[in-house]
Amino acid sequence: GGLLTYHVIPKFREMFIKANLYGVDLNKSSGIKVPEATGVITGCIFLMVSFIMIPFTYSDYLLEQTTTPFPHSEFVQLIAALLSISCMLLLGFADDVLDLRWRHKLLLPSMASLPLLMVYYITTNRTEIVVPTILRWLLGH
C-alpha cells in the first residue's frame, strides 16, 4: 500500500492543481504550487488494500478448511471500522474542498463513529482501550 501511494500521488498532482486544490509553499521563495487534499488518495488506497485483504484473512473459513465457526462478530467489527474510516475520509475531503464550519466538523465525526459504536455494543457490550505497558504509570494502575 505504501509503495502504491508513493507512486500514485505524483500522478494526481496536476489534477489537483487544475481543480484549484493547491497551496503555496510559504517556506520557499519560488512559489511552487503544492497539491492539497491528497490524503484522500492515501485513504482510498488504504481502503482498497483492506478490502482486497478480507478474502485472504478469512480464506480458511471461505474454503471450509477449518472446523471452527465463522467469526461473524469479528467480521462485522471490521466492516464497521472500514465504514467509519470511509466516512472520516469523506469528511476530510469535504473539509478540504468545501471549507466546512466547525459545527459540521464536530457533527460529522460523531455520525461516522455510530456504526462502530453500535457494533461494539451489540457484539461485546463494551469497548476497551489498551495502554502500552511503558505508559501505564502515567495513568495509574
Tab-separated table of all heavy atoms in Angstrom, residues 77 116-129:
chain	number	residue	atom	x	y	z
A	77	GLN	N	-17.299	-6.216	12.998
A	77	GLN	CA	-16.490	-5.138	13.569
A	77	GLN	C	-15.525	-4.573	12.536
A	77	GLN	O	-15.329	-3.351	12.450
A	77	GLN	CB	-15.729	-5.629	14.793
A	77	GLN	CG	-16.607	-5.873	15.987
A	77	GLN	CD	-15.842	-6.447	17.165
A	77	GLN	OE1	-14.633	-6.591	17.126
A	77	GLN	NE2	-16.566	-6.785	18.222
A	116	LEU	N	-19.545	1.996	14.324
A	116	LEU	CA	-18.581	1.269	15.140
A	116	LEU	C	-19.089	1.089	16.569
A	116	LEU	O	-18.997	0.001	17.143
A	116	LEU	CB	-17.252	2.029	15.137
A	116	LEU	CG	-16.014	1.280	15.545
A	116	LEU	CD1	-15.807	0.057	14.688
A	116	LEU	CD2	-14.814	2.195	15.473
A	117	LEU	N	-19.648	2.142	17.140
A	117	LEU	CA	-20.167	2.047	18.500
A	117	LEU	C	-21.349	1.084	18.591
A	117	LEU	O	-21.474	0.329	19.559
A	117	LEU	CB	-20.573	3.432	18.999
A	117	LEU	CG	-19.417	4.399	19.240
A	117	LEU	CD1	-19.952	5.779	19.577
A	117	LEU	CD2	-18.499	3.895	20.322
A	118	MET	N	-22.208	1.087	17.587
A	118	MET	CA	-23.356	0.177	17.591
A	118	MET	C	-22.906	-1.283	17.492
A	118	MET	O	-23.432	-2.150	18.185
A	118	MET	CB	-24.311	0.507	16.442
A	118	MET	CG	-25.067	1.800	16.635
A	118	MET	SD	-26.011	1.860	18.161
A	118	MET	CE	-27.147	0.524	17.929
A	119	VAL	N	-21.929	-1.540	16.651
A	119	VAL	CA	-21.443	-2.915	16.513
A	119	VAL	C	-20.767	-3.364	17.796
A	119	VAL	O	-20.964	-4.494	18.248
A	119	VAL	CB	-20.487	-3.034	15.301
A	119	VAL	CG1	-19.738	-4.339	15.317
A	119	VAL	CG2	-21.274	-2.904	14.013
A	120	TYR	N	-19.978	-2.500	18.409
A	120	TYR	CA	-19.354	-2.860	19.682
A	120	TYR	C	-20.410	-3.134	20.754
A	120	TYR	O	-20.277	-4.052	21.549
A	120	TYR	CB	-18.405	-1.764	20.158
A	120	TYR	CG	-17.068	-1.761	19.467
A	120	TYR	CD1	-16.303	-0.615	19.432
A	120	TYR	CD2	-16.567	-2.897	18.855
A	120	TYR	CE1	-15.076	-0.596	18.804
A	120	TYR	CE2	-15.351	-2.897	18.223
A	120	TYR	CZ	-14.597	-1.743	18.203
A	120	TYR	OH	-13.389	-1.739	17.588
A	121	TYR	N	-21.438	-2.330	20.776
A	121	TYR	CA	-22.493	-2.510	21.776
A	121	TYR	C	-23.225	-3.842	21.570
A	121	TYR	O	-23.516	-4.558	22.521
A	121	TYR	CB	-23.486	-1.352	21.712
A	121	TYR	CG	-24.622	-1.490	22.679
A	121	TYR	CD1	-24.425	-1.310	24.038
A	121	TYR	CD2	-25.892	-1.822	22.228
A	121	TYR	CE1	-25.458	-1.454	24.933
A	121	TYR	CE2	-26.940	-1.971	23.117
A	121	TYR	CZ	-26.730	-1.781	24.473
A	121	TYR	OH	-27.753	-1.926	25.348
A	122	ILE	N	-23.483	-4.187	20.320
A	122	ILE	CA	-24.234	-5.410	20.028
A	122	ILE	C	-23.382	-6.661	20.236
A	122	ILE	O	-23.847	-7.658	20.767
A	122	ILE	CB	-24.791	-5.368	18.589
A	122	ILE	CG1	-25.881	-4.309	18.508
A	122	ILE	CG2	-25.326	-6.726	18.161
A	122	ILE	CD1	-26.326	-4.004	17.099
A	123	THR	N	-22.111	-6.609	19.839
A	123	THR	CA	-21.285	-7.820	19.891
A	123	THR	C	-20.669	-8.077	21.266
A	123	THR	O	-20.713	-9.193	21.761
A	123	THR	CB	-20.172	-7.777	18.836
A	123	THR	OG1	-19.383	-6.610	19.040
A	123	THR	CG2	-20.735	-7.804	17.435
A	124	THR	N	-20.092	-7.063	21.889
A	124	THR	CA	-19.400	-7.299	23.160
A	124	THR	C	-19.947	-6.474	24.305
A	124	THR	O	-19.583	-6.712	25.452
A	124	THR	CB	-17.896	-6.988	23.028
A	124	THR	OG1	-17.737	-5.616	22.676
A	124	THR	CG2	-17.236	-7.875	22.001
A	125	ASN	N	-20.756	-5.489	24.015
A	125	ASN	CA	-21.344	-4.596	25.005
A	125	ASN	C	-20.291	-3.836	25.815
A	125	ASN	O	-20.509	-3.471	26.953
A	125	ASN	CB	-22.297	-5.352	25.931
A	125	ASN	CG	-23.237	-4.406	26.652
A	125	ASN	OD1	-23.394	-3.258	26.266
A	125	ASN	ND2	-23.869	-4.904	27.700
A	126	ARG	N	-19.108	-3.640	25.235
A	126	ARG	CA	-18.072	-2.846	25.880
A	126	ARG	C	-17.014	-2.470	24.858
A	126	ARG	O	-16.892	-3.091	23.802
A	126	ARG	CB	-17.437	-3.601	27.033
A	126	ARG	CG	-16.624	-4.804	26.567
A	126	ARG	CD	-15.897	-5.416	27.737
A	126	ARG	NE	-14.878	-6.302	27.217
A	126	ARG	CZ	-14.754	-7.557	27.563
A	126	ARG	NH1	-15.563	-8.085	28.438
A	126	ARG	NH2	-13.800	-8.291	27.059
A	127	THR	N	-16.286	-1.447	25.162
A	127	THR	CA	-15.122	-1.082	24.367
A	127	THR	C	-13.918	-1.089	25.289
A	127	THR	O	-14.036	-0.826	26.489
A	127	THR	CB	-15.274	0.309	23.726
A	127	THR	OG1	-15.499	1.268	24.753
A	127	THR	CG2	-16.407	0.341	22.743
A	128	GLU	N	-12.781	-1.408	24.748
A	128	GLU	CA	-11.566	-1.495	25.545
A	128	GLU	C	-10.482	-0.651	24.914
A	128	GLU	O	-10.375	-0.552	23.685
A	128	GLU	CB	-11.077	-2.946	25.617
A	128	GLU	CG	-12.056	-3.871	26.295
A	128	GLU	CD	-11.624	-5.320	26.233
A	128	GLU	OE1	-10.647	-5.627	25.527
A	128	GLU	OE2	-12.263	-6.147	26.883
A	129	ILE	N	-9.684	-0.062	25.765
A	129	ILE	CA	-8.513	0.672	25.314
A	129	ILE	C	-7.310	0.053	26.006
A	129	ILE	O	-7.282	-0.056	27.235
A	129	ILE	CB	-8.603	2.175	25.658
A	129	ILE	CG1	-9.799	2.798	24.964
A	129	ILE	CG2	-7.319	2.888	25.290
A	129	ILE	CD1	-10.069	4.220	25.371
